[in-house]
Amino acid sequence: MNHLIRIMMAVTGFIVLTGAVAEGIGTHRGKPSLVPDEIIVTYDIAATSGRKANIRHAYGLTKKRDSNKAGAFVVYKHRNPKAVLNMLKHEPGVVSVEQNAYAFAYMSPNDPYYFPYQWNMERIGMESAWDYNAGAGVTVAVIDTGVRESLLDLAGTLFTAGYDFVNSDLDPNDDKGHGSHVAGTVAQTTNNSLGVTGIAYNATLMPVKVLNKRGTGTIDDIADGVYFATDNGADIINMSLGGPSYTETLENAVNYAWNHGVVVICAAGNESSSEPAYPAAYENAVSVSATTYGDSLASYSNYGDTIDIAAPGGDTGDNNGDGYDDMILQNTFLRRNEGYYFYAGTSMASPHVAAVAALVKSANPELSNIEIRGILESTAEDLGATGWDQSFGYGLVDAYAAVQAAGGSGGGGDTTPPVLSNLAETVTINAAIITWTTNEAADSVVNYGLDANYGDSVFDTLPVTLHTLELTGLTANTEYHYQVTSTDGAGNSVQSADRVFYTLPAGEDSYMHVSDISLTTSSRGVNTLAHAAVTMMDDSGNPVEGATVYGSWSGAVSGSVAGTTGADGSVVLSSPKTKSGVNFTFTVNDVQHGALTYDAEQNVETSDSI
């Protein structure tokens, strides 16, 4: 006999955010890192100007500035501070010497709906946790109704191949909206100036569809989903689903995942009951209850002896004054309408914990699933009765404390610096775009100037592998020197050699145009979709990397899309899916680039049809 599983969603009414919303808080992200070419020296009050000049000349220091507080300190430029720091410390008249360092505002993403609607992120300490980690290198399987990967705010999210056990095919597309909402909490594209945030946004999602469009599924499909995720590289499994029936079949699958090192996170259930729900109640699953904006147990949340930890699940009532019920906001869809929807339930609580588990695993990949579970529970913020209790388990998940306990500020013994490659510059009259890649997520710094002493710098503390920084306010027809530095989450830095570029003479601007649009179609089950490969070239016929192409589909489908060209100058933009119609037209509406001007009149073609 098959046992039906229901999706756990407490609230049946949904709200779509439309129109103007409050502006997000603009900040940087990342942890402090050293300024690669600056030294701060504090002199004894008796040190003469002659003594200071002798030190400057002896060590090849270039004075940058004095402190605004007379006599407090002096800032010098030096190409290799580490080579002279120890010697300078022993010079007569020198009280202290150290390399200058950056300090940044703590990370608050630029996604416009983050503040004030995503109260849940701040509540579990995400702004501090993001300063150290965003889940890179970890795969989270979302075993649910599938995931609609074409959602606009999932455009920058990493995916790996999943499976659809409902329809027995390779396309685990979401036809309910529940799995997409859950997946967004785990790894929604973040810091893209669009919509909302996800917790472990540099993690990779594995969509596994085991629930149908009504939100129901059977134990055999769910068990197979767990086996599939485990055998295909999942580090974390999230199951925002459950039912009242204990089955050995599903428990065996959960035990298989656990015995293979996977952390299994499950929603506790929405029946306001102390009766166990499965798979959450299995010993090798982490059972998650749901909390409200005010840290109480949500009205619908299950409780009892099997609860391990709690996380925000939301509930009705507007306690933060944002005009909406205090639920969990993510990008998903309802029927045919895609948008940003508030859901509430232990389904929404569970992916908070799964994503924090991903942050812990990313911070220290050597941790076992036993250790990760222990960190989640031992660092949780105690709510309710002191210690473990039936409502909140060990307490509310605390992302920052968990990452810190894992060694998020450089733990895990990582002493290997990133590998830097593909360093290049795109130059105009008064600006330059510097691009490079690193083999792991790292921050970005470019020091530049008229000679190898530099003097100016730009930086981005977002830890990424594809780096782009713009130098502005340059002088036309001038030689500039620059050097890039990237530092990973463990504090290991890589630095390029000195490089030179020349700005263009005044009156010479650079342009780009569409050189080709190629359309193809593909089928996914009963659905058809089209793909537009757009290629951008500059005036010299060179491919343009880093151009953001904005286009629209018409014909069998409609919708707007955008994407950024790669090193070959091309980007592939896919249409929405359709079950009827085979006529697709794609039109380029605009193209933007930091250093090149889009000249539509030079386009070889602006639209194409198939």
Side-chain angles (χ1 to χ4, degrees):
M1 177 179 179
N2 288 332
H3 299 271
L4 292 180
I5 295 290
R6 300 188 308 278
I7 61 173
M8 294 180 169
M9 194 156 40
V11 180
T12 56
F14 311 109
I15 303 169
V16 183
L17 275 178
T18 58
V21 299
E23 291 289 335
I25 303 172
T27 60
H28 297 291
R29 59 177 295 118
K31 60 183 179 62
S33 57
L34 299 177
V35 180
D37 62 345
E38 293 186 6
I39 295 171
I40 301 176
V41 177
T42 301
Y43 289 105
D44 186 280
I45 192 171
T48 65
S49 58
R51 179 61 187 150
K52 295 176 184 178
N54 289 338
I55 291 175
R56 187 173 69 249
H57 292 303
Y59 291 94
L61 305 177
T62 302
K63 187 174 179 180
K64 179 181 180 181
R65 71 178 186 90
D66 290 302
S67 169
N68 288 339
K69 174 68 173 176
F73 59 80
V74 183
V75 182
Y76 294 108
K77 306 289 289 186
H78 192 279
R79 293 191 63 182
N80 188 4
K82 291 181 180 180
V84 298
L85 282 175
N86 287 333
M87 292 184 288
L88 276 168
K89 290 177 181 178
H90 296 94
E91 283 289 340
V94 173
V95 175
S96 68
V97 57
E98 59 191 355
Q99 192 166 349
N100 203 1
Y102 294 116
F104 308 118
Y106 288 119
M107 191 282 194
S108 179
N110 61 21
D111 307 80
Y113 293 164
Y114 172 74
F115 180 82
Y117 304 112
Q118 288 191 287
W119 58 269
N120 49 304
M121 297 295 182
E122 183 178 6
R123 182 62 191 88
I124 65 170
M126 283 317 308
E127 291 191 13
S128 297
W130 281 323
D131 291 330
Y132 296 101
N133 198 285
V138 178
T139 298
V140 180
V142 176
I143 299 180
D144 210 289
T145 61
V147 178
R148 182 176 288 186
E149 296 182 29
S150 62
L151 286 170
L152 188 61
D153 216 353
L154 286 174
T157 299
L158 299 174
F159 285 91
T160 190
Y163 194 80
D164 180 351
F165 286 93
V166 175
N167 300 297
S168 300
D169 61 40
L170 298 174
D171 182 20
N173 186 52
D174 189 1
D175 50 11
K176 174 67 175 177
H178 184 267
S180 298
H181 195 285
V182 168
T185 295
V186 175
Q188 193 82 70
T189 306
T190 300
N191 261 328
N192 60 341
S193 299
L194 177 70
V196 293
T197 67
I199 292 171
Y201 58 82
N202 279 342
T204 299
L205 290 178
M206 177 190 293
V208 181
K209 182 176 177 64
V210 298
L211 304 178
N212 62 25
K213 63 183 178 182
R214 293 179 298 279
T216 60
T218 56
I219 289 296
D220 58 314
D221 282 344
I222 297 167
D224 273 343
V226 174
Y227 286 122
F228 175 89
T230 302
D231 291 342
N232 286 275
D235 300 294
I236 315 293
I237 287 175
N238 184 84
M239 286 189 279
S240 290
L241 48 78
S245 299
Y246 165 84
T247 65
E248 188 174 350
T249 299
L250 185 53
E251 184 174 29
N252 287 341
V254 170
N255 290 343
Y256 178 83
W258 181 260
N259 292 334
H260 284 77
V262 180
V263 182
V264 182
I265 311 294
C266 301
N270 295 340
E271 289 74 40
S272 304
S273 170
S274 62
E275 293 299 314
Y278 301 93
Y282 296 135
E283 181 179 355
N284 287 326
V286 178
S287 177
V288 185
S289 64
T291 61
T292 68
Y293 179 84
D295 289 344
S296 62
L297 187 69
S299 60
Y300 51 81
S301 181
N302 283 0
Y303 54 93
D305 293 340
T306 63
I307 301 300
D308 296 300
I309 199 167
D315 213 334
T316 56
D318 180 14
N319 295 289
N320 65 347
D322 64 5
Y324 296 92
D325 285 336
D326 298 328
M327 303 183 192
I328 306 303
L329 182 66
Q330 283 298 339
N331 185 202
T332 186
F333 61 94
L334 180 63
R335 302 181 184 90
R336 296 187 178 185
N337 298 316
E338 295 185 0
Y340 295 87
Y341 290 79
F342 285 101
Y343 284 16
T346 56
S347 279
M348 285 58 256
S350 183
H352 286 76
V353 179
V356 173
L359 299 184
V360 171
K361 180 71 172 178
S362 178
N364 189 347
E366 301 303 316
L367 291 172
S368 68
N369 56 351
I370 297 173
E371 291 171 318
I372 293 172
R373 180 172 183 166
I375 287 173
L376 292 174
E377 294 174 350
S378 65
T379 60
E381 179 184 340
D382 195 16
L383 297 179
T386 301
W388 181 92
D389 62 68
Q390 292 193 356
S391 294
F392 309 105
Y394 289 97
L396 183 72
V397 67
D398 187 328
Y400 177 60
V403 171
Q404 288 294 93
S409 60
D414 180 10
T415 59
T416 304
V419 176
L420 188 152
S421 58
N422 303 316
L423 180 57
E425 60 274 343
T426 303
V427 182
T428 63
I429 297 171
N430 54 15
I433 301 291
I434 310 300
T435 59
W436 71 98
T437 60
T438 50
N439 67 328
E440 61 177 313
D443 63 17
S444 310
V445 178
V446 175
N447 292 284
Y448 66 100
L450 298 177
D451 55 37
N453 289 318
Y454 310 122
D456 291 300
S457 63
V458 293
F459 54 85
D460 185 353
T461 60
L462 175 66
V464 294
T465 57
L466 300 176
H467 306 267
T468 302
L469 286 176
E470 183 175 9
L471 317 183
T472 59
L474 307 182
T475 303
N477 198 29
T478 301
E479 177 185 287
Y480 282 89
H481 291 249
Y482 77 93
Q483 183 180 62
V484 306
T485 302
S486 286
T487 304
D488 65 18
N492 304 303
S493 294
V494 61
Q495 194 171 68
S496 75
D498 178 66
R499 289 172 65 99
V500 175
F501 64 82
Y502 296 85
T503 52
L504 299 179
E508 295 185 16
D509 207 351
S510 297
Y511 296 90
M512 59 182 176
H513 62 275
V514 179
S515 66
D516 183 64
I517 302 175
S518 298
L519 297 189
T520 58
T521 60
S522 63
S523 297
R524 294 185 179 178
V526 298
N527 294 311
T528 300
L529 64 162
H531 313 279
V534 181
T535 302
M536 300 297 302
M537 294 289 182
D538 62 19
D539 290 340
S540 301
N542 299 312
V544 176
E545 182 179 6
T548 302
V549 178
Y550 298 88
S552 58
W553 290 97
S554 57
V557 295
S558 62
S560 299
V561 290
T564 303
T565 57
D568 62 351
S570 297
V571 60
V572 177
L573 302 170
S574 297
S575 73
K577 298 175 184 177
T578 179
K579 293 183 179 179
S580 61
V582 293
N583 298 314
F584 297 88
T585 296
F586 179 79
T587 302
V588 175
N589 298 323
D590 190 21
V591 185
Q592 295 182 8
H593 191 277
L596 300 174
T597 301
Y598 175 47
D599 185 358
E601 294 184 359
Q602 298 298 318
N603 287 350
V604 175
E605 53 183 339
T606 301
S607 65
D608 197 8
S609 300
I610 192 173

